[in-house]
Amino acid sequence: MELLTLYFSSPVEGVVAFSTTRGEVDGRNPYSGVNLCDYVGDDALRVLDARISLAMQLGVNLDSMVMPRQTHSCRVAVIDSQFIDSDIQQQEEALEGVDALVTKLPGTVIGVNTADCVPIVLADAQAQVIAVAHAGWRGTAGRILKQVVAEMCRQGAHPDRIQAAMGPCICQDCFEVGDEVVEAFKQADFDLDAFVKRDPATGKAHIDLAAANRSILIDCGIPADSITPPQHCSRCEHEQFFSARRLGTDSGRTFTGIFWK
Ligand SMILES: [Zn+2]
């Protein structure tokens, strides 16, 4: 399968970060293409097949690929040797309602599944701590990245050294929202002028989710030039990446992962 490489502003040796692309698609089928997410209504065998293909391509075991069951929460789970040694049921419990993962384990691929929400990979090369997060508007308004950076720092990272890169997500022009979403950001003390604009024709608000997450990272002390913005819009490029706005929520997801080789 064809992977989109995500680049940090300065390369981190031994770290691989990527997003899946859909590949060959049948335009009428919202699951068509590579989908690793097993809780969005896709056929379980197709999902397993995609996971096996990706694991083989990355050269890791299937059980070394860890992804949470996301619920637009701000919860972060640490994937450590205790997690790896626990049984499947314990692992599933630890990953339930989690939207970000942090690890120091080499060879363990951590990833999130998205369709328009922002996937973010982070790394501190010196501390050898990596992380991945899923931020839709709820996770962004709840500042999930603040929790992620805090957990990375508990694991030895320092904001000065953390680099971040964002994967394919919805662009501001595509992301029209209701006023209740704008209100949620206002209530959470965001500087709305920095990432909300109104379409003069419709009067509707449009949010730049990537810019909002970038501002959260900068508030955490991460240097602005260490943050790589998304290179693709999932909705504009829905034949390459899954888009819930374009295909409906009953659709596949783009998997964004990171690991130490
Ligand atoms: Zn777009």
Side-chain angles (χ1 to χ4, degrees), residues 180-198:
E180 73 285 356
V181 177
V182 178
E183 191 57 33
F185 279 94
K186 202 168 158 185
Q187 293 294 324
D189 276 335
F190 278 86
D191 173 17
L192 299 184
D193 293 343
F195 59 88
V196 182
K197 68 177 184 189
R198 295 252 167 207

Side-chain angles (χ1 to χ4, degrees), residues 169-227:
C169 60
I170 196 163
C171 74
Q172 186 169 21
D173 284 343
C174 286
F175 196 39
E176 180 186 295
V177 297
D179 285 338
E180 73 285 356
V181 177
V182 178
E183 191 57 33
F185 279 94
K186 202 168 158 185
Q187 293 294 324
D189 276 335
F190 278 86
D191 173 17
L192 299 184
D193 293 343
F195 59 88
V196 182
K197 68 177 184 189
R198 295 252 167 207
D199 181 328
T202 64
K204 292 280 192 179
H206 286 248
I207 287 185
D208 187 338
L209 271 187
N213 281 290
R214 179 185 161 83
S215 74
I216 294 166
L217 292 173
I218 291 170
D219 286 347
C220 289
I222 296 177
D225 58 7
S226 298
I227 305 164

Side-chain angles (χ1 to χ4, degrees), residues 91-103:
Q91 290 191 353
E92 279 178 2
E93 281 168 18
L95 294 172
E96 180 66 39
V98 164
D99 286 76
L101 301 173
V102 173
T103 194

